[in-house]
Amino acid sequence: MPSGLAALLDDVAALTRLAAVSLDDVGAASAKAGAKAAGVVVDDAAVTPQYVTDFKPERELPVIWRIAKGSLFNKFIILLPIGLLLSAFLPWAITPILMLGGLYLCFEGAEKVIHKLGHHQDVAEDVSQVQDMFALENERVSGAVRTDLILSAEIMAIALSEVASRPIAIQAAVLALVGLVITAAVYGAVALIVKMDDFGLHLAQKPSAALQGFGRGLVKAMPIVMSALAIIGTAAMIWVGGQIIIHGLAVFGFAGPEHLIHDIAVAAGAAVPAIGGLVEWLVGAVGAGIVGFILGSIIALALKALPSKKH
């Protein structure tokens, strides 16, 4: 019995060491995958605040929470199992599915630009004409969750590519950890951004003149920040969508656009050595954005030209 107990304890210790190694692997792979997906994460954080504007302050955090829950549903219920199944049985299908999502992002972003250029009515006027704010909230949440699905798919695909050769359990753990951490980071940041003006109002009521001045500065700055984020978010949709399409074409053997943009970006960066990396990234993003805007505009104009159904 003692020898049997000792053997059992040895087995438990071995399993514990194995679990610790596995956890280390998951943590390391998750950190690496999260770092590679950082660009898409930033885009996600820039896109989301535009869906929360125009609501009363007491509805802002509930709306963000609804979108965050939708994002978790996207990642854990839809993308994680689909990603694992595709990785195991149809790895070739991941790229075309992502390309379809990229086309949707291009369309969504280009449609916003076309609408903005063609209509000069202020958004606040549009919102003031909406009678049913509950319906508007549902529409905004649905739109945000749809956009999140595409951005989350890109994030999860990047994470999956980092652990494609690992056992299925490691893949699942990494995807789950990356999905949870990134969702918390993105929507936590969005909540801070959206509530910053309320924080400014709170500071403006403090007895300290310095805090009052800082608070008033926050309140004045937030409309500018939100407008800038709306522009950045739209640009991010078009850029990320274009980048997905360009990379997908390269995967299927049509690498001309990707090589052309890369070469132009590298040459531009080399021309300004002091900030070469930043210039290279910006030129590459602009190139992908041009491709994305052209594709998105074609889809938007084609859909607009279709005969509408009369009820």
Side-chain angles (χ1 to χ4, degrees):
M1 286 296 292
S3 61
L5 179 59
L8 177 60
L9 291 175
D10 285 342
D11 289 342
V12 171
L15 288 173
T16 302
R17 287 194 297 271
L18 180 60
V21 171
S22 297
L23 286 174
D24 287 342
D25 287 345
V26 169
S30 299
K32 188 176 180 181
K36 286 194 69 175
V40 185
V41 173
V42 172
D43 296 333
D44 202 358
V47 167
T48 305
Q50 63 185 295
Y51 292 100
V52 191
T53 57
D54 307 313
F55 292 114
K56 294 180 179 179
E58 62 268 19
R59 288 305 305 161
E60 290 173 343
L61 290 182
V63 169
I64 293 171
W65 175 235
R66 289 183 63 189
I67 298 173
K69 287 192 294 185
S71 178
L72 289 172
F73 182 89
N74 286 340
K75 291 181 178 74
F76 284 87
I77 306 302
I78 299 176
L79 296 173
L80 194 153
I82 289 178
L84 294 176
L85 288 172
L86 289 177
S87 177
F89 301 107
L90 294 172
W92 59 267
I94 294 176
T95 297
I97 291 174
L98 282 175
M99 290 176 73
L100 288 175
L103 283 175
Y104 174 79
L105 283 180
C106 293
F107 158 71
E108 183 93 348
E111 186 183 42
K112 290 178 183 294
V113 174
I114 293 171
H115 178 79
K116 188 69 175 179
L117 293 175
H119 296 78
H120 300 289
Q121 186 178 17
D122 188 79
V123 176
E125 294 180 23
D126 292 336
V127 175
S128 67
Q129 294 172 8
V130 176
Q131 300 298 321
D132 189 350
M133 291 302 293
F134 181 72
L136 176 64
E137 180 178 315
N138 287 337
E139 180 183 342
R140 291 278 185 88
V141 170
S142 297
V145 171
R146 283 196 303 270
T147 301
D148 174 89
L149 178 63
I150 310 303
L151 293 172
S152 293
E154 179 73 356
I155 291 167
M156 300 293 266
I158 291 171
L160 187 60
S161 68
E162 286 297 309
V163 291
S165 60
R166 301 292 188 91
I168 190 71
I170 296 292
Q171 292 183 26
V174 168
L175 290 181
L177 183 57
V178 168
L180 185 62
V181 171
I182 284 178
T183 300
V186 167
Y187 292 98
V190 170
L192 287 174
I193 292 170
V194 169
K195 300 306 291 183
M196 196 62 71
D197 54 349
D198 291 340
F199 180 63
L201 286 173
H202 176 71
L203 291 180
Q205 297 171 357
K206 294 292 183 179
S208 168
L211 289 178
Q212 289 178 9
F214 182 66
R216 286 192 294 267
L218 280 179
V219 173
K220 292 178 180 178
M222 285 316 297
I224 300 173
V225 171
M226 295 302 292
S227 297
L229 283 175
I231 295 172
I232 294 170
T234 300
M237 287 183 186
I238 298 171
W239 165 55
V240 173
Q243 191 176 55
I244 292 172
I245 299 300
I246 292 168
H247 181 68
L249 290 174
V251 170
F252 287 113
F254 187 58
E258 186 173 61
H259 288 161
L260 177 62
I261 293 173
H262 176 263
D263 292 344
I264 294 173
V266 169
V272 193
I275 51 171
L278 175 61
V279 171
E280 183 177 335
W281 180 85
L282 284 174
V283 172
V286 170
I290 291 171
V291 173
F293 183 70
I294 291 172
L295 293 174
S297 298
I298 291 172
I299 297 172
L301 295 174
L303 291 176
K304 190 175 181 180
L306 292 176
S308 58
K309 294 181 180 180
K310 293 183 178 180
H311 301 284

